[in-house]
């Protein structure tokens, strides 16, 4: 059976994304949790939370929902109640991942632009409360997704597969819920991240100009400013994470808004450009769950050092094991 090109791409893309996404997010969680990357405890809590959410996105959607449906269409995971539950998990993981990116961006905005609020808000305890609250709310918001699904076919009187109920497209209540999810994720997050980044960068540029002028008058020399150096590193991390998120979500945001305005409910064929754009935008959006570890490695020197140690550790362990086996063999040979 010849699959359409976009399906052939997805058959390779989703397992590959899972094979990359699971280990890179696990590595990020372990390294960041050790607290040796030179980041504040507050930032570390957010980054660990984001890495856990991204890991759950990779597990639920590329693996449980996409790869299983492609390669194991009749497995128990495709039983209708089970795959309906997976639909909830996919939605919850995505909502939590997106909104943790927003809360991290807001935390950096407060730290840089709101001196009076900084001490109270930018703390490890507050970060933990925010991450926990976002996680709970993300799960609650996604619960109704279970009731949007119905069986696709039957095998031995067992309902299999998940498709949207007809009422999902005809009921005003479900239309309102769908619009709510669209606004909640990703429209509002993209807008907030753009706005907060613009305000944060603007404040940093103004502060840099003032501090350079002040230090220039007071010292008469161009010395490094530790405060501005810390802010520079913080803004590089912030812009890298936020920029990656916006770029990878942009296609999906634009397409979803266009589809809603044009009232597109189905496609003419598997080669319809809109159908291809739909699937491509979803693949790009899922890629955002694997990029943060690469960003940490590029922008954070201490993270790179910890990553090198993590890579070298099993290699050194193997080398020691081989050496000990060789010494034991030589010892037995001498005797």
């Amino acid at each position: 059976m010849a699959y359409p090109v976009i399906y052939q791409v997805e058959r390779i893309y989703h397992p590959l994304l899972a094979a990359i996404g699971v280990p890179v997010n696990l590595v990020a969680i372990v390294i960041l949790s050790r607290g040796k990357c030179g980041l504040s405890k507050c930032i570390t809590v957010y980054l660990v939370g984001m890495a856990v959410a991204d890991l759950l996105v990779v597990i639920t959607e590329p693996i449980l929902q996409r790869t299983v449906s492609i390669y194991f269409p009749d497995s128990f995971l495709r039983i209708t109640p089970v795959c309906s539950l997976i639909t909830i998990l996919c939605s919850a993981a995505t909502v939590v991942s997106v909104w943790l990116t927003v809360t991290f961006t807001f935390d950096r905005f407060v730290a840089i632009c709101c001196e009076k609020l900084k001490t109270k808000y930018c703390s490890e305890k507050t970060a933990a409360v925010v991450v926990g609250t976002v996680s709970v709310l993300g799960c609650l918001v996604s619960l109704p997704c279970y009731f949007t699904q119905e069986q696709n076919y039957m095998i031995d009187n067992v309902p299999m597969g998940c498709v949207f109920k007809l009422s999902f497209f005809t009921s005003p209540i479900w239309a309102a819920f769908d619009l709510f999810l669209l606004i909640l994720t990703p429209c509002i997050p993209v807008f907030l991240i753009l706005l907060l980044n613009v305000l944060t960068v603007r404040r940093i540029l103004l502060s840099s100009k003032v501090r350079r002028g002040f230090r220039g008058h007071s010292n008469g020399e161009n010395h490094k400013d530790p405060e501005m150096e810390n802010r520079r590193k913080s803004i590089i991390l912030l812009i890298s994470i936020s920029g990656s998120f916006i770029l990878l979500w942009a296609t999906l945001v634009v397409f979803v808004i266009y589809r809603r305005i044009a009232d597109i409910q189905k496609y003419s064929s598997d080669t319809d450009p809109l159908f291809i754009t739909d699937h491509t935008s979803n693949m790009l959006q899922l890629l955002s769950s694997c990029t943060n570890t690469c960003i940490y490695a590029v922008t954070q020197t201490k993270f790179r050092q910890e990553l090198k140690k993590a890579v070298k550790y099993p290699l050194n362990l193997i080398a020691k094991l081989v050496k000990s086996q060789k010494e034991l063999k030589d010892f037995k040979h001498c005797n």
Side-chain angles (χ1 to χ4, degrees):
M1 178 180 177
Y3 292 97
V5 174
I6 190 66
Y7 286 149
Q8 293 180 33
V9 172
E10 287 184 324
R11 289 174 69 86
I12 299 172
Y13 178 82
H14 291 299
L16 181 62
L17 186 67
I20 296 172
V22 170
V24 298
N25 281 303
L26 282 174
V27 167
I29 292 168
V30 172
I31 292 177
L32 291 169
S33 298
R34 287 164 56 85
K36 296 182 179 181
C37 297
L39 300 169
S40 69
K41 292 182 178 180
C42 174
I43 293 178
T44 300
V45 170
Y46 281 111
L47 297 185
V48 170
M50 291 161 63
V52 172
D54 286 343
L55 176 63
L56 292 176
V57 170
V58 175
I59 291 173
T60 55
E61 191 151 354
I63 298 178
L64 296 182
Q65 192 172 66
R66 308 283 185 168
T67 302
V68 168
S69 64
I70 291 172
Y71 291 100
F72 309 100
D74 298 330
S75 74
F76 80 95
L77 292 176
R78 298 303 298 159
I79 298 174
T80 301
V82 177
C83 70
S84 296
L85 179 60
I86 292 173
T87 300
I88 294 179
L89 296 176
C90 289
S91 175
T94 301
V95 171
V96 172
S97 175
V98 169
W99 277 95
L100 284 183
T101 305
V102 176
T103 55
F104 170 70
T105 306
F106 180 73
D107 176 85
R108 293 300 84 203
F109 166 76
V110 171
I112 293 170
C113 302
C114 307
E115 293 294 333
K116 293 182 180 179
L117 186 59
K118 175 182 177 181
T119 305
K120 293 183 179 180
Y121 185 81
C122 300
S123 65
E124 183 181 11
K125 182 179 178 180
T126 301
V129 171
V130 170
V131 171
T133 303
V134 169
S135 301
V136 172
L137 291 178
C139 293
L140 293 176
V141 164
S142 301
L143 285 177
C145 293
Y146 183 90
F147 303 101
T148 65
Q149 306 293 306
E150 65 180 1
Q151 69 185 54
N152 191 17
Y153 54 94
M154 297 281 289
I155 296 181
D156 297 329
N157 292 322
V158 177
M160 300 293 291
C162 286
V163 293
F164 283 110
K165 294 178 180 178
L166 181 61
S167 60
F168 180 77
F169 301 102
T170 59
S171 169
I173 296 176
W174 283 124
F177 176 71
D178 188 38
L179 182 61
F180 168 71
L181 284 184
L182 170 64
I183 294 172
L184 182 70
T185 306
C187 293
I188 291 178
V190 169
F191 170 76
L192 289 177
I193 288 172
L194 281 172
L195 176 63
L196 292 171
N197 277 333
V198 168
L199 294 175
T200 304
V201 172
R202 178 174 174 272
R203 177 59 181 268
I204 286 179
L205 292 176
L206 290 174
S207 299
S208 300
K209 186 177 180 180
V210 171
R211 289 179 69 89
R212 279 199 302 267
F214 175 76
R215 289 175 65 84
H217 285 300
S218 60
N219 297 335
E221 297 178 15
N222 184 23
H223 293 293
K224 279 191 174 182
D225 185 346
E227 175 66 20
M228 292 313 301
E229 187 67 17
N230 289 335
R231 288 193 174 191
R232 185 186 69 83
K233 292 178 180 179
S234 180
I235 200 62
I236 288 174
L237 179 62
L238 171 64
I239 296 298
S240 299
I241 292 175
S242 302
S244 169
F245 172 84
I246 290 171
L247 286 174
L248 293 174
W249 275 83
T251 305
L252 181 64
V253 172
V254 172
F255 177 75
V256 167
I257 293 173
Y258 171 77
R259 186 174 61 186
R260 172 65 61 175
I261 294 173
D263 194 26
I264 299 170
Q265 296 185 2
K266 61 181 181 179
Y267 305 109
S268 59
S269 68
D270 295 334
T271 57
D272 186 336
L274 292 175
F275 177 82
I276 294 173
T277 303
D278 188 358
H279 284 250
T280 303
S281 64
N282 277 285
M283 287 191 287
L284 288 174
Q285 172 254 308
L286 288 173
L287 182 61
S288 67
S289 63
C290 302
T291 56
N292 283 352
T293 303
C294 298
I295 290 171
Y296 305 150
V298 171
T299 62
Q300 303 296 307
T301 303
K302 290 186 177 180
F303 184 90
R304 286 198 301 273
Q305 293 172 351
E306 291 297 313
L307 183 60
K308 288 178 182 178
K309 290 179 182 178
V311 172
K312 288 180 180 179
Y313 179 77
L315 298 177
N316 291 336
L317 204 61
I318 293 171
K320 287 180 181 179
L321 183 62
V322 171
K323 184 179 179 181
S324 63
Q325 290 292 328
K326 184 179 179 182
E327 289 175 350
L328 181 61
K329 185 178 179 181
D330 291 342
F331 177 76
K332 289 181 178 179
H333 181 73
C334 292
N335 290 310

